[in-house]
Amino acid sequence: MGSQRLKPIHALLVIVVAIAMLLVWGAKGTVDAFKADEGSQAQTNQTSNTVKYIRQVQISLVDSETAQRGFVITADMDYFEAYYDGVRRYRSAIENLNLVLEGIKTRAQVELIFNIERLSEEKIAEMSRSVDLVRQGRRDEASALIEQGDGKMLMSDIRGNLDALYNLDRGALEEALAESYETQENSFRRLIAMGIGVLLLLSCIIYLFVRAISLDQTLDLLDEVNAERQRSDLLSKELNHRVKNLFAVITSIVRLTGRNEKKTDIAVGKITDRILALSRAHSLTVSEENKDVTDLETLVRTLLTPYETPSRHFKIIGPHLELSQNTLTPLGLLLHELATNALKYGAWSTEKGGSIDVSWDTKADESQEGSIVTLFWNESSNSALQPTDFTETGFGFRMMTMSMRQLDGDIQREWNDGLNLTAQFRKG
Amino acid sequence: MERRIESDRPVSEGLSTLGLKQDSEQEMRILVVEDEALIALQLEMEIEDIGHTVAGTCMNLPECLLFLEDSEIDGAILDVDLRGVDVFPAAEKLRQKNIPFVFHTGHGDKRQIEERFPCSTVFKKPTSTEIMLKQLFAAPLHI
């Protein structure tokens, strides 16, 4: 479903393709405009040449007519020269006119030039007849010929045809200029469109740039999230490990207590107390990777306080000592066992009560990293009696010894006016 | 041939038959390798209750390897993870000496361990001590 949605990148692709097409279209327009301009330029050149030769044709004919008339009136040979010069210039001009329009003549132009040439030749023939008559000394006949007015009519026809030819060419020029102007207008519009296209393209680039920056930020965030998840995975693995271990320990507590205490209600009470002690010890912390999580004074206080009354008190003396998570179960069980033993047999067992001093000191372990802790548990009571089963094989003693062995340690104990126990263990 | 006992069976099943060893069984010397004091103590006491002897209890790998140097035992129950150190070097040594052993683990990949030590069985914690001992002496000696 998500893949079928139009993504911004698809829209962007469409826009870029559209802009590319727009630019091609604009470029084509510009080329067209150049071509149109070249065309109108050529037309202008051609028209100005055409006009020039049309005028030369007209002027040369008018000149030769004027000279012919002068010659008829005065018979001066200068006029005769001028007449021939005019006719020569006419022939040159008409030839040039034909050259300029060579190959590009329209049907109308062909017709007009044909007419002009025909009429001009007739005019020249008419003029040369009168010139010949003057040279033969027959000036009167020549004058009469002119007065007939044929020459004048011919001249007027020629002028009409020349004007028509001039107008035709003029029209072609105007058309070419109009077309060029229109193409230029069109080209200008295309240029504006191209400009807008380029702006759009720039916007697309800026958009992509901004997206790249935000992508970078997202990737950074993803890295952070991944690191955080790894940390939380590790923590949950560690917790999982601890929970499994605690369940195994609790199972052992139940089975060992049940094995050594056959009376169900007493067994249940002992099991509950031991699990509670374990729970108190572990509730002091949620650790990460077995780092230092609590300290010995807090642990002792937490485990002994539930038994404290005005007559049962305890004192804690010792330097601050950080504990790691793996010491909590064995130390917790040791201290709990000691406290319940004190209640049952020791300093806290009689009405008069007594006091327990808990103290410790540490020294560096020379063979390994870490330190060796020596913990002293000294009970003092005037009324407590040494229990009869104060042996090395009793369950409680085995449990305490084993707990200290777990920490590479050991315990020694003796009885004065209460229990005096020394426990040594390694603090990781 | 497959004589493994399913390790996920309820503990009570083992408890119901918990008792002295059969008359036909000899008294065996068992090594307990376990880094959690209470579990070690429980194994010790239940092994004794059944009528066998605990030859020793080791709570870390160096201690265990040292013990294996000069002690005569008939079988071993091995915790896999000893304070973050694998028990496998000790298992290798037991295999070399043809002494049967079972694994008793709270975590770890059971299949991976069984592939590495096909002569042995992996039990998940908690498993009845009696079931583990039965498996220990039912398993054929691995050559």
Side-chain angles (χ1 to χ4, degrees):
Chain A
M1 283 192 287
S3 61
Q4 282 173 5
R5 215 186 65 218
L6 188 71
K7 288 181 180 164
I9 198 76
H10 294 146
L12 203 67
L13 197 67
V14 171
I15 290 172
V16 169
V17 167
I19 291 169
M21 283 163 70
L22 179 76
L23 290 180
V24 168
W25 171 77
K28 189 180 172 296
T30 310
V31 170
D32 285 351
F34 268 113
K35 279 185 183 163
D37 202 42
E38 270 176 20
S40 71
Q41 193 69 40
Q43 183 65 50
T44 310
N45 286 340
Q46 188 224 306
T47 301
S48 69
N49 280 330
T50 311
V51 168
K52 187 171 95 187
Y53 295 125
I54 287 172
R55 185 158 291 166
Q56 278 181 13
V57 167
Q58 196 173 350
I59 289 169
S60 60
L61 283 177
V62 170
D63 284 355
S64 38
E65 190 185 43
T66 312
Q68 173 229 357
R69 300 246 168 123
F71 188 54
V72 168
I73 293 166
T74 64
D76 187 336
M77 279 314 280
D78 285 350
Y79 284 118
F80 178 76
E81 291 292 325
Y83 163 72
Y84 266 110
D85 182 54
V87 170
R88 236 182 3 258
R89 282 192 281 124
Y90 159 74
R91 296 216 189 284
S92 153
I94 199 82
E95 198 184 329
N96 282 331
L97 188 61
N98 270 315
L99 275 174
V100 166
L101 294 173
E102 181 82 55
I104 54 165
K105 278 182 275 197
T106 60
R107 180 178 279 271
Q109 284 174 321
V110 169
E111 218 163 87
L112 285 170
I113 288 173
F114 176 77
N115 283 341
I116 290 164
E117 281 185 286
R118 183 177 56 81
L119 291 167
S120 299
E121 288 309 321
E122 267 183 47
K123 172 72 182 168
I124 290 165
E126 182 263 341
M127 285 192 296
S128 51
R129 268 203 305 278
S130 62
V131 168
D132 285 347
L133 284 172
V134 173
R135 290 184 68 185
Q136 289 161 22
R138 297 152 70 181
R139 277 171 60 194
D140 294 341
E141 282 175 60
S143 292
L145 201 59
I146 291 169
E147 277 164 18
Q148 272 181 359
D150 289 352
K152 200 180 172 187
M153 274 177 64
L154 278 170
M155 199 60 185
S156 152
D157 280 354
I158 290 168
R159 199 171 275 129
N161 278 303
L162 281 171
D163 283 351
L165 187 62
Y166 172 80
N167 286 335
L168 261 184
D169 213 55
R170 185 85 212 164
L173 178 62
E174 268 163 18
E175 234 169 71
L177 284 174
E179 194 194 329
S180 165
Y181 179 74
E182 197 186 324
T183 317
Q184 266 177 5
E185 277 283 287
N186 199 0
S187 150
F188 182 65
R189 280 195 292 271
R190 285 185 193 220
L191 272 176
I192 288 175
M194 279 164 80
I196 291 169
V198 168
L199 277 179
L200 262 173
L201 207 59
L202 278 175
S203 310
C204 288
I205 289 168
I206 289 169
Y207 170 75
L208 283 177
F209 191 68
V210 168
R211 285 216 5 147
I213 289 173
S214 107
L215 192 66
D216 270 359
Q217 284 169 347
T218 310
L219 286 178
D220 285 351
L221 199 67
L222 201 63
D223 280 351
E224 269 174 48
V225 168
N226 273 337
E228 192 55 42
R229 209 184 60 184
Q230 272 175 2
R231 250 166 46 81
S232 113
D233 279 356
L234 210 66
L235 188 65
S236 97
K237 215 171 146 190
E238 168 76 15
L239 276 176
N240 190 24
H241 185 125
R242 281 178 66 182
V243 167
K244 275 184 176 169
N245 188 263
L246 277 172
F247 271 118
V249 169
I250 288 168
T251 307
S252 294
I253 288 175
V254 173
R255 292 179 66 176
L256 283 170
T257 313
R259 176 189 177 277
N260 292 286
E261 186 57 65
K262 292 302 170 197
K263 282 184 187 165
T264 313
D265 49 345
I266 296 177
V268 168
K270 283 189 172 179
I271 288 168
T272 309
D273 285 348
R274 283 173 178 155
I275 292 175
L276 266 176
L278 210 57
S279 155
R280 286 194 193 104
H282 281 271
S283 68
L284 291 175
T285 171
V286 174
S287 87
E288 205 177 313
E289 293 172 65
N290 230 5
K291 285 178 188 137
D292 291 345
V293 290
T294 186
D295 64 276
L296 186 53
E297 184 179 339
T298 308
L299 182 68
V300 174
R301 196 173 296 286
T302 304
L303 288 166
L304 298 192
T305 304
Y307 302 102
E308 193 178 24
T309 65
S311 61
R312 296 167 185 155
H313 30 93
F314 62 89
K315 214 160 68 188
I316 302 174
I317 309 152
H320 180 78
L321 183 71
E322 297 279 339
L323 292 177
S324 53
Q325 189 269 325
N326 64 335
T327 62
L328 294 182
T329 298
L331 280 177
L333 288 170
L334 172 85
L335 290 164
H336 171 73
E337 207 58 32
L338 289 169
T340 51
N341 281 348
L343 269 178
K344 202 170 172 187
Y345 317 108
W348 288 350
S349 62
T350 61
E351 292 280 317
K352 289 182 179 172
S355 175
I356 302 171
D357 284 358
V358 185
S359 58
W360 59 86
D361 54 55
T362 62
K363 62 172 194 269
D365 184 357
E366 281 157 17
S367 62
Q368 290 185 46
E369 271 182 50
S371 51
I372 304 274
V373 182
T374 311
L375 178 86
F376 304 98
W377 175 279
N378 292 316
E379 299 180 8
S380 52
S381 162
N382 297 324
S383 48
L385 297 172
Q386 181 165 0
T388 47
D389 61 342
F390 193 71
T391 62
E392 304 272 303
T393 51
F395 168 68
F397 186 73
R398 272 179 80 172
M399 192 172 87
M400 290 191 282
T401 308
M402 197 64 102
S403 292
M404 286 305 99
R405 273 191 66 194
Q406 182 175 345
L407 302 178
D408 293 338
D410 199 5
I411 57 177
Q412 296 95 39
R413 63 174 182 175
E414 54 185 29
W415 191 276
N416 295 318
D417 47 347
L419 178 69
N420 289 287
L421 178 138
T422 306
Q424 276 199 323
F425 61 91
R426 185 199 309 282
K427 190 224 142 225
Chain B
M1 177 202 137
E2 192 60 47
R3 284 197 280 170
R4 269 175 195 147
I5 295 167
E6 186 46 56
S7 61
D8 291 338
R9 271 158 74 175
V11 175
S12 58
E13 208 171 301
L15 285 174
S16 67
T17 56
L18 192 71
L20 295 176
K21 68 182 192 294
Q22 302 292 305
D23 289 340
S24 57
E25 289 176 18
Q26 263 190 301
E27 189 178 316
M28 299 291 187
R29 289 156 298 170
I30 312 291
L31 168 66
V32 174
V33 181
E34 169 61 59
D35 70 349
E36 190 61 54
L38 275 186
I39 300 171
L41 189 58
Q42 180 210 329
L43 290 172
E44 277 184 4
M45 288 187 162
E46 289 181 356
I47 287 166
E48 285 164 7
D49 288 346
I50 290 166
H52 296 297
T53 309
V54 177
T57 302
C58 300
M59 301 185 94
N60 58 54
L61 185 63
E63 195 185 344
C64 179
L65 291 173
L66 202 68
F67 183 89
L68 289 176
E69 284 294 313
D70 49 18
S71 299
E72 289 295 320
I73 58 166
D74 303 309
I77 296 173
L78 307 178
D79 183 14
V80 174
D81 176 36
L82 300 173
R83 301 180 203 172
V85 180
D86 284 342
V87 78
F88 299 136
E92 286 290 351
K93 203 155 198 171
L94 288 167
R95 180 153 72 175
Q96 281 165 21
K97 290 185 161 191
N98 271 345
I99 298 169
F101 57 92
V102 294
F103 291 105
H104 186 218
T105 179
H107 37 88
D109 188 348
K110 182 175 163 173
R111 183 168 301 173
Q112 205 181 333
I113 301 168
E114 280 179 348
E115 268 171 27
R116 185 159 171 189
F117 295 99
C119 59
S120 184
T121 304
V122 179
F123 292 101
K124 277 188 190 167
K125 286 181 187 174
T127 299
S128 140
T129 309
E130 186 174 30
I131 286 175
M132 286 196 285
L133 288 181
K134 273 192 171 160
Q135 175 64 26
L136 198 53
F137 299 115
L141 286 186
H142 186 76
I143 316 289

